[in-house]
Amino acid sequence: MLATVLSGVVVGVDCVLVRVEVSVTSGLPSLSVVGLPQSAVREGKDRVRAALHNAGYSLPPRRITVNLSPADVKKEGSGFDLPLALGLLAGSGHLSATAIEGHAFLGELGLNGELRPVRGTLPVAAACRRSGIGSLVVPNANAAEAAAGGGGLEVIGAETLAEVVGHLQGSARLASVQVGVDELLRGDPPDGADLAEVRGHRGVKRALEVAAAGGHNLLLRGPPGSGKTMLARRLPGILPPLTHQDALEATTIHSVAGLLPSGQGLLHHRPFRTPHHTVSAAGLVGGGSPPKPGEVSLAHHGVLFLDELPEFSRSVLETLRQPLEDGWMSLVRARYRVRFPARFTFVASMNPCPCGHLGDPRRPCTCDPSQVNRYRSRISGPLLDRIDLHVEVPVVRYRELMDRPAGESSSDVRGRVTRARTVQRERWCTDRNQDSASGTDRIGRGGAVGTAPDRATTRTEAAYWNAALPPAGIERWCRPDRASARLLQDAADRLGLSPRAIHRVLKVARTIADLEGSEGIGEVHLAEAVQYRGG
Ligand SMILES: Nc1ncnc2c1ncn2[C@@H]1O[C@H](COP(=O)(O)OP(=O)(O)OP(=O)(O)O)[C@@H](O)[C@H]1O
Ligand SMILES: [Mg+2]
């Protein structure tokens, strides 16, 4: 007797749909699983056997072979427990083959038959949706994330194996799960920290606004207690709300990392990641087996904030070079090759020297030049070159701190930032429509059983904010007028700007023009952009 149940395995942030084929033949009683099952799947065999026994089902004393197809993809994780249990029930005549047709299943089983949450439900749901599978049955705790992708796939959440069997047999139907995506995404930013609490610092707040409006990287440098950390923590509050598509991408990464809170359907605020300076390279950019996304990917569509930048290991910081340039992180190891999206705004803070007072008019610096050099050399030139806005954060004066009325609130600034981002999105979309013949999809097309694009992740995260513009976009939309071109050439010679830095200055100038609602890039926009490079 042969039974087939559909499920999926996560590869990077994509899913390969998997057929769990159960064959029951005469022979000595045994249960073997083939098709590259990894340890969690092999162990699942015993969990499933116990769960079935405790639910009152007995397996026939025959030879049972389970094949996980396609055979060349490693099957990781405990999500195969539920499909395996149902395959065994169908293969041994407890469940009809038609009952499981058109459904896919994912979930870990406890020995008592309870369904437990698993990682990566969202990408499995996305693959089911793309492949036209009618319904997906998952543990209750994962149901909201499976349903967050919207229509086209019925999502059923269940508490136990018995509930799933009852649903399939039609004796006790379970309701399908819906998620109110629009209300979720309309919510206010989570943290009450407001920009108005920061006194003074008009110039730094302006730089923060430019960074938010175009997604540009920012370095805040200043003496201790001048408000660098305070300012950086207020960046999420001025970022525009996530779109549904961006929220799905960010949630997918949290889902495969196992960091999505139980029952949460969608990340509805831009992530703000603040790893400690003791973070390892694998923690920062991803790694492990099976590969897990690092902080750079968890910050996708949000902010990665490295406070006290020189305290991080230099070799760890160097791993940021690829994601900062490309917007994704590629992990190639002997046993796997995956690509995680990592398009984030990078914010860092540092003191100007070990004592923190170099350049402070009120307190003398006590460091000798070699100490200052050593301190600064912890951050490499190539990393600094990838930072668009280099901003000094001086100590505000006592009067300014105590007397001044509060400045603009985060929501006012967020309004301007959101308008500037809308301009960028419209520009991008118009261009994509014009180029629709050669346009790229935002999400890789993995879906049919056994197909994951490139057996790895091939998302082409088409970003639509200025910091992510490719060279062709710079050519097209960041052309300075004649006077500003002269100004840029002067600055490039004077500051020794690299070609990368010149491109980044142009993108910042584009954002400044967008904030002003200007179609062209003028001298004033370019001058401000150059000033953020120390010009
Ligand atoms: N401009 C400011 N407006 C209001 N409060 C401020 C300002 N600057 C500093 N503060 C106060 O000082 C505290 C310390 O600021 P913060 O931690 O941001 O300093 P920092 O520049 O990160 O210092 P360090 O280099 O030591 O990390 C803030 O929590 C706040 O109470
Ligand atoms: Mg600080």
Side-chain angles (χ1 to χ4, degrees):
M1 192 148 174
L2 187 70
T4 302
V5 185
L6 281 178
S7 188
V9 63
V10 172
V11 181
V13 285
D14 277 311
C15 161
V16 180
L17 291 180
V18 171
R19 265 184 233 283
V20 179
E21 297 166 342
V22 178
S23 159
V24 181
T25 54
S26 53
L28 285 175
S30 64
L31 172 56
S32 58
V33 180
V34 296
L36 284 189
Q38 302 302 292
S39 56
V41 181
R42 286 197 299 269
E43 286 167 10
K45 204 169 69 172
D46 296 328
R47 274 196 302 273
V48 168
R49 224 198 297 242
L52 287 174
H53 178 79
N54 290 333
Y57 297 108
S58 56
L59 293 180
R62 305 179 73 183
R63 182 190 166 101
I64 303 176
T65 309
V66 178
N67 179 36
L68 305 173
S69 160
D72 62 338
V73 179
K74 284 190 187 122
K75 317 300 180 313
E76 318 260 10
S78 50
F80 287 105
D81 287 7
L82 177 61
L84 180 56
L86 295 169
L88 291 174
L89 287 178
S92 51
H94 293 294
L95 202 59
S96 77
T98 48
I100 46 178
E101 240 170 59
H103 303 276
F105 303 89
L106 191 72
E108 179 181 319
L109 279 176
L111 298 187
N112 56 358
E114 173 195 45
L115 274 177
R116 301 197 174 140
V118 292
R119 289 178 187 174
T121 304
L122 199 156
V124 174
C128 290
R129 209 169 272 122
R130 286 198 294 269
S131 299
I133 291 168
S135 98
L136 172 66
V137 182
V138 295
N140 259 338
N142 293 129
E145 64 174 290
L153 175 75
E154 182 188 35
V155 173
I156 306 287
E159 211 56 62
T160 61
L161 174 64
E163 273 187 19
V164 178
V165 174
H167 176 75
L168 295 173
Q169 287 175 332
S171 55
R173 286 262 170 215
L174 297 167
S176 65
V177 177
Q178 316 286 337
V179 173
V181 171
D182 291 343
E183 297 91 87
L184 271 179
L185 295 175
R186 265 201 301 269
D188 280 339
D191 182 339
D194 200 286
L195 206 56
E197 292 159 17
V198 182
R199 302 300 166 105
H201 287 324
R202 275 181 57 152
V204 188
K205 287 185 189 173
R206 164 71 178 175
L208 214 58
E209 179 173 337
V210 172
H216 304 290
N217 302 327
L218 172 71
L219 173 66
L220 300 171
R221 204 168 64 178
S226 60
K228 301 179 295 296
T229 304
M230 191 180 183
L231 282 153
R233 290 194 176 279
R234 279 150 183 79
L235 181 58
I238 62 168
L239 289 172
L242 279 167
T243 62
H244 186 194
Q245 181 59 45
D246 293 351
L248 282 174
E249 286 181 16
T251 309
T252 298
I253 295 163
H254 284 72
S255 168
V256 302
L259 293 177
L260 198 62
S262 172
Q264 178 161 353
L266 208 56
L267 279 193
H268 39 281
H269 300 301
R270 290 183 186 271
F272 183 71
R273 303 293 304 184
T274 57
H276 189 254
H277 61 73
T278 52
V279 68
S280 65
L284 191 60
V285 295
S289 183
K292 281 219 268 174
E295 291 291 334
V296 294
S297 298
L298 293 166
H300 186 56
H301 287 306
V303 177
L304 177 71
F305 175 40
L306 301 191
D307 207 0
E308 321 286 355
L309 191 63
E311 299 303 324
F312 287 73
S313 136
R314 188 178 155 132
S315 61
V316 168
L317 287 182
E318 290 307 286
T319 60
L320 286 174
R321 281 161 65 165
Q322 186 202 359
L324 279 176
E325 197 66 17
D326 302 330
W328 44 264
M329 185 65 213
S330 165
L331 298 172
V332 182
R333 303 285 184 274
R335 294 178 57 230
Y336 59 79
R337 176 169 165 266
V338 291
R339 211 172 96 150
F340 289 116
R343 181 119 17 230
F344 56 92
T345 299
F346 177 53
V347 180
S349 83
M350 65 182 286
N351 299 127
C353 64
C355 85
H357 294 288
L358 187 69
D360 188 341
R362 295 165 317 155
R363 285 183 64 173
C365 171
T366 56
C367 311
D368 63 46
S370 65
Q371 280 176 307
V372 176
N373 277 342
R374 221 171 313 124
Y375 181 75
R376 296 215 173 163
S377 68
R378 289 192 209 161
I379 300 147
S380 72
L383 185 60
L384 288 174
D385 204 40
R386 286 163 168 79
I387 300 181
D388 311 292
L389 314 170
H390 297 240
V391 181
E392 296 297 329
V393 185
V395 176
V396 291
R397 305 216 168 270
Y398 178 83
R399 291 260 325 255
E400 230 175 345
L401 184 66
M402 307 306 283
D403 294 347
R404 274 177 71 110
E408 270 188 308
S409 71
S410 292
S411 72
D412 290 344
V413 182
R414 188 167 66 242
R416 286 198 297 273
V417 166
T418 304
R419 279 193 292 282
R421 286 246 188 162
T422 306
V423 170
Q424 294 164 49
R425 176 191 287 277
E426 277 166 6
R427 186 189 291 134
W428 179 270
C429 291
T430 312
D431 188 65
R432 266 171 48 108
N433 290 343
Q434 281 165 4
D435 290 353
S436 54
S438 60
T440 48
D441 287 333
R442 299 193 74 192
I443 302 247
R445 300 279 141 195
V449 173
T451 62
D454 185 30
R455 285 283 184 270
T457 306
T458 57
R459 288 177 171 232
T460 50
E461 300 79 25
Y464 44 79
W465 51 93
N466 292 334
L469 279 180
I474 300 170
E475 180 78 18
R476 192 155 182 165
W477 295 312
C478 305
R479 286 201 158 276
D481 62 20
R482 192 174 295 184
S484 25
R486 248 197 323 271
L487 195 150
L488 180 58
Q489 191 180 352
D490 279 356
D493 292 344
R494 193 162 33 87
L495 303 170
L497 297 181
S498 69
R500 175 195 290 124
I502 293 172
H503 272 177
R504 285 177 175 262
V505 167
L506 283 168
K507 293 196 246 186
V508 172
R510 178 68 269 163
T511 299
I512 294 168
D514 288 339
L515 274 168
E516 199 188 277
S518 161
E519 211 163 289
I521 295 180
E523 245 178 313
V524 54
H525 309 129
L526 207 88
E528 184 179 343
V530 164
Q531 171 227 308
Y532 293 129
R533 279 271 167 182

